[in-house]
Amino acid sequence: MVKRKMIYEGKAKQIFSTDQDDQVIVHFKDDATAFNGQKKGQITGKGKINNKISNFFFELLEEKGIKTHLIKELNERDSMVKKVDIILVEVVMRNIVAGSLSKRIGIEEGVVLDKPVLEYYYKDDNLGDPLINNFHIEVLELATGSDLEKINEMAFKINKILKEFLDKREIDLVDFKLEFGYTGDGEIVLADEISPDTCRFWDSNTKEKLDKDRFRRDLGDVESAYKEMLKRIIGKGEL
Ligand code: UDP
């Protein structure tokens, strides 16, 4: 499959058209941003690690009945995926209080929630991705009520599958962000990525942060945290 031209460049990924209308190639970069693009940097080797981790999770989820955009990994940084219309809602699932939730509801980071909390954010950089609810989503025509029900169901199932997998590897799945899209056939599939860029992972014993918070909060050892997550997930820390 030939990369035709870049049709979109995001903060951490580039999207290329291919010779097939319904397929695109995702290229994972080492670029990292935080705080709505205000903080910029590079995490050496991140693109390769995120491509690998995200594909691993998407394959695991497919095996358990979750439809995803993934077609196949092409090389270290590129994957072939179904072309989708991204639903402009970032779906965040939380098991443990951290980040913006801690500030919003005044509960300290690390408190385990009695049950998972699902949130929606409007995917709009100009507005700073504000928190929204199901009424906003319907009024803004981002998704219909029934599509949203389907997304919720998928998100809770994904949480259960990932949590179970990571628990065994002594990783706490604190929270994560999901994006969904419509394929050409109108099917809702999981899209974007699931990686240390989009999840909070804590070592279950030491509570050490093994995700993008090391970059956001200048904690150091960013590259080694991503490698450690790769090792916990696929069994080896090198590619
Ligand atoms: N997240 C993300 N992209 C965003 C915002 C959040 O992937 O644009 C992820 C983030 O990595 C974390 C979860 O969603 O795993 C919840 O993030 P939170 O709302 O606490 O925001 P933050 O404190 O990271 O700004």
Side-chain angles (χ1 to χ4, degrees):
M1 187 67 63
V2 190
K3 266 188 194 169
R4 296 253 165 211
K5 65 172 205 293
M6 191 162 76
I7 48 176
Y8 176 77
E9 175 148 29
K11 294 170 195 132
K13 298 190 286 295
Q14 295 170 334
I15 308 292
F16 292 85
S17 61
T18 67
D19 44 21
Q20 257 167 274
D21 278 351
D22 55 351
Q23 300 183 3
V24 292
I25 292 171
V26 182
H27 175 83
F28 285 78
K29 302 189 286 182
D30 285 351
D31 296 349
T33 64
F35 313 119
N36 200 17
Q38 286 170 44
K39 182 181 169 110
K40 288 194 178 74
Q42 288 249 322
I43 302 171
T44 309
K46 169 172 86 77
K48 292 181 192 175
I49 292 177
N50 283 1
N51 187 33
K52 196 47 100 188
I53 290 180
S54 192
N55 290 344
F56 181 94
F57 281 143
F58 278 35
E59 278 167 18
L60 174 74
L61 293 169
E62 284 275 359
E63 276 168 28
K64 309 261 182 194
I66 302 285
K67 300 276 188 216
T68 78
H69 72 167
L70 182 65
I71 298 172
K72 66 172 176 193
E73 189 169 302
L74 297 175
N75 57 49
E76 281 186 324
R77 286 183 185 268
D78 298 321
S79 290
M80 180 76 69
V81 303
K82 290 180 186 164
K83 187 174 183 176
V84 298
D85 268 338
I86 287 284
I87 297 170
L88 297 177
V89 177
E90 296 193 345
V91 178
V92 168
M93 183 67 77
R94 302 177 181 273
N95 298 305
I96 298 174
V97 176
S100 69
L101 180 66
S102 172
K103 294 194 188 106
R104 191 177 323 112
I105 64 173
I107 297 181
E108 67 179 321
E109 207 165 77
V111 173
V112 178
L113 295 159
D114 286 342
K115 54 181 196 173
V117 168
L118 182 144
E119 297 172 344
Y120 309 113
Y121 293 85
Y122 184 15
K123 200 170 146 56
D124 185 318
D125 282 341
N126 292 328
L127 297 175
D129 295 349
L131 180 74
I132 53 174
N133 66 26
N134 55 317
F135 292 94
H136 301 114
I137 291 173
E138 284 192 58
V139 166
L140 289 166
E141 296 184 353
L142 304 178
T144 63
S146 70
D147 285 348
L148 207 51
E149 267 175 43
K150 181 131 195 257
I151 288 169
N152 292 353
E153 197 185 306
M154 288 170 81
F156 280 106
K157 200 168 161 191
I158 291 166
N159 186 39
K160 198 161 173 282
I161 297 165
L162 296 183
K163 213 168 159 303
E164 207 175 286
F165 176 88
L166 290 163
D167 275 348
K168 287 190 202 136
R169 284 148 185 88
E170 306 200 315
I171 294 291
D172 292 346
L173 178 59
V174 176
D175 56 31
F176 57 95
K177 185 257 310 178
L178 301 172
E179 293 186 26
F180 295 86
Y182 298 106
T183 64
D185 309 330
E187 186 178 37
I188 296 176
V189 296
L190 178 67
D192 195 49
E193 67 180 282
I194 300 181
S195 73
D197 271 11
T198 64
C199 304
R200 284 194 172 95
F201 298 126
W202 293 353
D203 181 288
S204 303
N205 303 304
T206 64
K207 305 298 171 191
E208 186 190 1
K209 297 185 192 335
L210 297 170
D211 56 61
K212 203 167 108 176
D213 269 350
R214 299 206 73 85
F215 169 78
R216 291 190 192 99
R217 304 180 187 187
D218 294 321
L219 300 175
D221 296 329
V222 187
E223 282 88 2
S224 51
Y226 278 69
K227 276 191 190 164
E228 178 61 22
M229 276 313 300
L230 181 71
K231 192 161 136 201
R232 298 280 182 107
I233 293 165
I234 69 162
K236 51 179 188 182
E238 298 295 330
L239 288 162

